[in-house]
Structure formats: structure tokens, C-alpha cells
Amino acid sequence: MFKRMQLLGLIMGFLAIGSVQAEDVYSSGRAGEVQRVDDGTEFRVCADQDNLPYSNKNLEGFENKIAEVLANDLNKKLAFTFWYDRMGFIRNTLSAKKCDVIMGTTSDYDALRTSKPYYRAGHVFVYKKSSGMKITGWDSPDLKKATIGIVGQSPATIALNDYGLMPNARPYRMQRDLNLPPSYLIDDLLAGDIDVAIMWGPIGGYFAKQSKEPLEVVMVPDYEMVNAKGKTNWNISVGVRKADKERMAMIDAALERNKDKINKILDDYGIPHMPVVEGDSIMKVYRKGKEVNKETRGDAIPKTE
């Protein structure tokens, strides 16, 4: 849904546990190849070859770096199978057994066995510091005057609509366009085509940090208690195949041992993150949202006048 959405250099040569062979790192995962047999020595990650800040073929993404930490901890050889992170990604990688680990997925994604969450992310408002705007929430007056770039059908559009801001919106397609770089919303913001970008936090935070022009990055208030479809904050986990119970137990232990290293990577990359909310799930939010709306007779919906 999200991604999918940087190491400081290409991992070449030797890791602490031994060499990473080029054919292991750059396996393309083409359909029709003979099914790989896992011999237990690899930590093989399913990843996108051109999707910063998460990953790329030069191993410059923050998920590349976190994968390296986990592989070293588990004394496994780090390897990647690359496939563009769009429709069919899991089918052509993890489900085809061309790789074993997805580094970032929502913790309640029921198609996978997921780890204990290792960070929590949400959507962000991004705008130029030089604009003089001050945006802290959906009711900020400056939002009513701004041209707002937002991914169509993303959860943040629910609150945008409820606050009467849809006429200000410039929508961007949800399905990834491989002709555009992952930074396309920030690029349009810097070009002056939009005044505010509302986007998934890891992407917005990373490219804002890379920008030569100073940008403000502000967390979007979660809307989950008003409308579950407007939930914008999510726990993020590692994912494996449903049957891989033992693999997940090892990953959970490695995540726990390396929490400080992982948080430092997130901070180094400018990834906005917040404490994990234990037990958070979309169904739990949906039930709570129904209770809130029943108790308030709908008064939780903001007035747009």
C-alpha cells in the first residue's frame, strides 16, 4: 500500500560475515526461473531495485541497511532479489520462494507472517520553510489557501475531504508510475507546482532531508478514531511467508537485539517515526471508531464551515 516506498555507498566486497556475491545481490527474480532452494545460509530479501528511500540496486536504502544489520546479527549471507514494488510484487518474489524476507509491511497484513513492529510511521505535511506557512493540523488556516499535492485514494484524503479541502487538492496516482522518481511530490513542491505535499512519512522525510531548500516536515494527525479509512499511522514490521514460523522467531529476536541500531538508521535517513502502538490493527480501529461515532452521534466529524 505504501511503498513502497540510504546507505552511504554500494555494499561490495566483504561483510562482517563474509563476501556478498554479485549474483546473489542482483538476482532479478525473473518469472520462469528454476525455484530456488533455501540452504539456510542466506538472509535473502525481496526488494525494489529503484525505490529510495527504501531500497535500490546499489543498496543505498534504509531497508538495505537494516537488512544488513539483521543478517550480520544472524550470521547469514546477505542477498537480495529485486522486483518492482507494485502489483504482483509478493506473488513474484516471496510467494515464488525467490526470497524470504520483506523488510517493511504493515504489522496486521494478513497475507504474511509479520514480526513484532520495529517502528511506526504516518503521513506528513511537507512545505517550504520560506513560505511562511504554519501547518500543524487539518484545521490550519494556511491549508485553506494552499495547493495541496496528495496521492489519490490514500488514507489522508478522508480527512482532507471532511475538512472541505478537496477543492485545493492536486491528486497524484496511487499505482506507482515507473517513469517518475519516488521523489516526484517533493520535486513538484520545490518547483512551485504545489504548496504543500501530503505524503507517506518515510518518503517525505527522506527527500525533505535531501533537499537543498529547507523544508518543514510535520506529522499529519491521525484520523482513525473519526473514520477507520482515514487511519494514517501504522506499525511497521518485517514480513515472511505464513509457514516460516522459525524464521520469524529468529528475526524477532534480532530486531529486539538491534533496536538502537535500527532507530539510528531511521534517524540518519530522516525517516519520521514514533513509538509503536501495541496491538494496533485496522479492525481494532474500525471497532473503536464505530463506538466513538455512536457515543458522539457523529459529532466527531469536523465541521467544514
Side-chain angles (χ1 to χ4, degrees), residues 2-7 11 43 45-48 51-56 59-71 78-80 85 89 101-106 118-119 200 202 236-239 262 265-266 269 271:
F2 303 126
K3 288 188 26 205
R4 295 280 187 213
M5 314 216 187
Q6 280 159 331
L7 285 172
I11 298 178
F43 190 84
V45 177
C46 317
D48 192 313
N51 196 24
L52 292 177
Y54 299 101
S55 61
N56 69 3
L59 310 185
E60 294 171 332
F62 77 89
E63 288 188 350
N64 295 131
K65 185 63 175 176
I66 293 172
E68 181 186 358
V69 169
L70 298 183
L78 179 62
F80 290 86
D85 188 5
F89 176 76
V101 181
I102 290 176
M103 291 305 301
T105 184
T106 53
Y118 67 99
Y119 74 104
W200 183 234
I236 305 299
S237 294
V238 173
I262 291 169
I265 292 168
L266 295 174
Y269 279 74
I271 308 301

Side-chain angles (χ1 to χ4, degrees), residues 24 47 51 76 109 127 187 232 257 271 290 300 302-303:
D24 293 325
N51 196 24
K76 302 279 189 182
Y109 184 34
Y127 55 94
D187 295 340
T232 56
R257 288 190 294 267
I271 308 301
K290 288 182 68 176
K303 305 300 184 290

Side-chain angles (χ1 to χ4, degrees), residues 199-268:
M199 56 195 305
W200 183 234
I203 301 172
Y206 171 76
F207 286 110
K209 187 171 183 178
Q210 300 297 309
S211 172
K212 294 180 180 179
E213 180 169 354
L215 300 177
E216 291 283 359
V217 179
V218 179
M219 294 299 300
V220 168
D222 208 338
Y223 206 58
E224 60 185 17
M225 294 305 294
V226 178
N227 186 332
K229 293 181 180 179
K231 176 178 171 59
T232 56
N233 293 345
W234 299 83
N235 289 341
I236 305 299
S237 294
V238 173
V240 300
R241 288 178 289 274
K242 282 281 193 178
D244 283 352
K245 186 175 181 179
E246 291 184 8
R247 191 190 312 275
M248 182 50 68
M250 290 190 299
I251 290 172
D252 267 329
L255 288 169
E256 180 65 26
R257 288 190 294 267
N258 292 280
K259 286 191 296 186
D260 291 344
K261 290 181 180 179
I262 291 169
N263 284 331
K264 185 177 186 305
I265 292 168
L266 295 174
D267 292 340
D268 287 346

Side-chain angles (χ1 to χ4, degrees), residues 1-2 106 122-123 138 150-162 166 174 198-200 220-224 227-234 282:
M1 176 179 183
F2 303 126
T106 53
H123 286 66
W138 293 111
I150 190 167
V151 175
Q153 291 81 51
S154 66
T157 59
I158 302 297
L160 189 83
N161 183 62
D162 285 352
M166 198 59 76
M174 176 171 281
I198 299 177
M199 56 195 305
W200 183 234
V220 168
D222 208 338
Y223 206 58
E224 60 185 17
N227 186 332
K229 293 181 180 179
K231 176 178 171 59
T232 56
N233 293 345
W234 299 83
I282 189 63

Side-chain angles (χ1 to χ4, degrees), residues 14-20 41 71-78:
F14 294 89
L15 293 176
I17 59 171
S19 63
V20 178
T41 65
N72 284 338
D73 180 276
L74 296 170
N75 198 32
K76 302 279 189 182
K77 181 171 66 175
L78 179 62

Side-chain angles (χ1 to χ4, degrees), residues 85-139:
D85 188 5
R86 61 205 307 263
M87 192 173 295
F89 176 76
I90 292 178
R91 181 180 69 250
N92 289 295
T93 57
L94 193 75
S95 295
K97 297 187 177 180
K98 296 181 182 299
C99 45
D100 307 308
V101 181
I102 290 176
M103 291 305 301
T105 184
T106 53
S107 299
D108 60 351
Y109 184 34
D110 60 7
L112 304 176
R113 180 181 293 275
T114 55
S115 70
K116 294 177 181 177
Y118 67 99
Y119 74 104
R120 184 173 177 84
H123 286 66
V124 292
F125 300 113
V126 186
Y127 55 94
K128 295 177 182 179
K129 288 188 177 182
S130 63
S131 69
M133 291 190 295
K134 184 175 177 59
I135 298 173
T136 57
W138 293 111
D139 57 354

